[in-house]
């Protein structure tokens, strides 16, 4: 018997909304205050990576060594700035194509989940006014291992009571696609095909995605 599509698991930042720009601004403010060089290219490496791991990447450019306590404090400061910025998030920041796709999934009774490294995932979904589309939100507080470990996606599958083979993941990060594959799921890349080389299929953005196209992965 053929495997059916039963659930769609969405990464948040880069697929549903572009929160990366706010993460960048907050990290940039922190790096500047410490006199550490940080730019948008380095910021690319922070996508999909946990808060502390993001700080460690920034500190690679620092000449001094920071204690664990100092690092903890720095992530708190950054997060406070970030939370202030995303307080203004509005429904019109949902990326183009997302709502149409979510409506088609709802129509056909396919379950939906958010699978994000962010501890602010539920807050962001609420701000964007799209909470009712999702059966569960798995965020940074629900996992111990970040992508490319499949934990975030496996937790979602378990909560939705579906098997990994019945899931398709939407991701904008190479490590996220890797995590989906390791978890035994189909993986759709959203973004640059030259970067997302490990995906089953890549679309430039969510406006190119339709349920018909996704179902082809299960034929
Ligand atoms: P927070 P995703 C990730 O979201 C971001 O891409 C990444 O840059 C961020 O460091 C991480 O969430 C943790 O976020 O500091 O809010 O807990 O792409 O997994 O949805
Ligand atoms: Mg992402």
């Amino acid at each position: 018997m053929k495997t059916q599509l039963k659930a769609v698991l969405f990464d948040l930042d880069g697929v549903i909304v572009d929160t990366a720009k706010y993460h960048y601004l907050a990290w940039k403010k922190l790096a500047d205050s410490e006199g550490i060089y940080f730019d948008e290219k380095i910021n690319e490496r922070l996508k999909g990576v946990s808060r502390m791991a993001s700080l460690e990447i920034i500190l690679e450019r620092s000449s001094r060594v920071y204690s664990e306590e100092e690092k903890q404090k720095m992530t708190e400061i950054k997060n406070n700035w970030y939370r202030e910025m995303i307080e203004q998030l509005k429904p019109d920041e949902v990326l183009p194509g997302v709502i149409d796709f979510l409506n088609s999934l709802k129509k056909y009774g396919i379950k939906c989940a958010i699978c994000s490294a962010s501890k602010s995932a539920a807050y962001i979904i609420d701000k964007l006014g799209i909470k009712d589309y999702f059966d569960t939100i798995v965020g940074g507080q629900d996992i111990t291992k970040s992508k490319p470990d499949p934990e975030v996606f496996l937790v979602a599958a378990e909560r939705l009571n579906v098997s990994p083979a019945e899931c398709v993941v939407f991701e904008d990060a190479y490590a996220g696609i890797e995590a989906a594959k390791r978890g035994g799921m189909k993986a759709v890349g959203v973004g640059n095909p030259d970067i997302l080389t490990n995906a089953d299929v890549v679309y430039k953005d969510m406006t190119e995605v339709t349920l018909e196209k996704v179902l082809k992965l299960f034929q």
Side-chain angles (χ1 to χ4, degrees), residues 11-15 47-48 147 171-173:
D11 172 49
L12 179 59
D13 180 18
V15 173
K47 291 185 177 172
K147 304 163 190 173
E171 256 292 347
D172 71 319

mmCIF file of all heavy atoms in Angstrom, residues 11-15 47-48 147 171-173, ligand 2:
data_model
loop_
_atom_site.group_PDB
_atom_site.id
_atom_site.type_symbol
_atom_site.label_atom_id
_atom_site.label_comp_id
_atom_site.label_asym_id
_atom_site.label_seq_id
_atom_site.Cartn_x
_atom_site.Cartn_y
_atom_site.Cartn_z
ATOM 1 N N ASP A 11 8.995 24.591 9.043
ATOM 2 C CA ASP A 11 9.963 25.413 9.760
ATOM 3 C C ASP A 11 9.323 26.809 9.839
ATOM 4 O O ASP A 11 8.457 27.142 9.015
ATOM 5 C CB ASP A 11 11.269 25.441 8.949
ATOM 6 C CG ASP A 11 12.257 26.417 9.501
ATOM 7 O OD1 ASP A 11 12.503 26.399 10.712
ATOM 8 O OD2 ASP A 11 12.802 27.221 8.714
ATOM 9 N N LEU A 12 9.732 27.615 10.799
ATOM 10 C CA LEU A 12 9.081 28.925 10.957
ATOM 11 C C LEU A 12 9.863 30.036 10.244
ATOM 12 O O LEU A 12 9.423 30.587 9.231
ATOM 13 C CB LEU A 12 8.936 29.227 12.454
ATOM 14 C CG LEU A 12 8.298 30.549 12.839
ATOM 15 C CD1 LEU A 12 6.896 30.685 12.280
ATOM 16 C CD2 LEU A 12 8.265 30.708 14.363
ATOM 17 N N ASP A 13 11.054 30.325 10.785
ATOM 18 C CA ASP A 13 11.851 31.422 10.246
ATOM 19 C C ASP A 13 12.371 31.061 8.843
ATOM 20 O O ASP A 13 13.094 30.093 8.683
ATOM 21 C CB ASP A 13 13.025 31.678 11.212
ATOM 22 C CG ASP A 13 13.922 32.807 10.746
ATOM 23 O OD1 ASP A 13 13.478 33.600 9.896
ATOM 24 O OD2 ASP A 13 15.060 32.888 11.232
ATOM 25 N N GLY A 14 11.959 31.830 7.843
ATOM 26 C CA GLY A 14 12.426 31.587 6.479
ATOM 27 C C GLY A 14 11.419 30.848 5.619
ATOM 28 O O GLY A 14 11.562 30.786 4.400
ATOM 29 N N VAL A 15 10.376 30.285 6.258
ATOM 30 C CA VAL A 15 9.343 29.576 5.494
ATOM 31 C C VAL A 15 7.991 30.284 5.675
ATOM 32 O O VAL A 15 7.303 30.596 4.702
ATOM 33 C CB VAL A 15 9.234 28.087 5.921
ATOM 34 C CG1 VAL A 15 8.038 27.413 5.254
ATOM 35 C CG2 VAL A 15 10.521 27.350 5.572
ATOM 36 N N LYS A 47 20.983 30.856 10.888
ATOM 37 C CA LYS A 47 19.617 30.435 10.550
ATOM 38 C C LYS A 47 19.356 28.999 10.976
ATOM 39 O O LYS A 47 20.104 28.091 10.607
ATOM 40 C CB LYS A 47 19.359 30.631 9.062
ATOM 41 C CG LYS A 47 19.302 32.102 8.701
ATOM 42 C CD LYS A 47 18.922 32.340 7.261
ATOM 43 C CE LYS A 47 18.822 33.841 7.006
ATOM 44 N NZ LYS A 47 18.635 34.150 5.585
ATOM 45 N N GLY A 48 18.291 28.823 11.761
ATOM 46 C CA GLY A 48 17.909 27.488 12.213
ATOM 47 C C GLY A 48 18.728 26.974 13.387
ATOM 48 O O GLY A 48 18.493 25.886 13.897
ATOM 49 N N LYS A 147 18.508 20.940 14.884
ATOM 50 C CA LYS A 147 18.741 20.456 13.524
ATOM 51 C C LYS A 147 20.237 20.547 13.236
ATOM 52 O O LYS A 147 20.838 21.529 13.663
ATOM 53 C CB LYS A 147 17.952 21.325 12.524
ATOM 54 C CG LYS A 147 16.443 21.386 12.813
ATOM 55 C CD LYS A 147 15.806 22.572 12.062
ATOM 56 C CE LYS A 147 14.386 22.807 12.527
ATOM 57 N NZ LYS A 147 13.769 24.023 11.965
ATOM 58 N N GLU A 171 11.398 23.506 4.649
ATOM 59 C CA GLU A 171 12.584 24.065 5.315
ATOM 60 C C GLU A 171 13.362 25.010 4.405
ATOM 61 O O GLU A 171 13.437 24.785 3.198
ATOM 62 C CB GLU A 171 13.537 22.914 5.670
ATOM 63 C CG GLU A 171 13.541 22.518 7.115
ATOM 64 C CD GLU A 171 14.131 23.553 8.069
ATOM 65 O OE1 GLU A 171 14.783 24.512 7.618
ATOM 66 O OE2 GLU A 171 13.935 23.388 9.269
ATOM 67 N N ASP A 172 13.982 26.021 5.010
ATOM 68 C CA ASP A 172 14.823 26.934 4.232
ATOM 69 C C ASP A 172 16.311 26.738 4.539
ATOM 70 O O ASP A 172 17.148 27.427 3.950
ATOM 71 C CB ASP A 172 14.449 28.401 4.501
ATOM 72 C CG ASP A 172 14.864 28.844 5.892
ATOM 73 O OD1 ASP A 172 14.701 28.050 6.842
ATOM 74 O OD2 ASP A 172 15.366 29.974 6.033
ATOM 75 N N ALA A 173 16.624 25.821 5.474
ATOM 76 C CA ALA A 173 18.031 25.637 5.860
ATOM 77 C C ALA A 173 18.518 24.229 5.508
ATOM 78 O O ALA A 173 17.763 23.252 5.642
ATOM 79 C CB ALA A 173 18.186 25.868 7.361
HETATM 80 MG MG1 LIG B 2 14.418 28.386 9.039
#
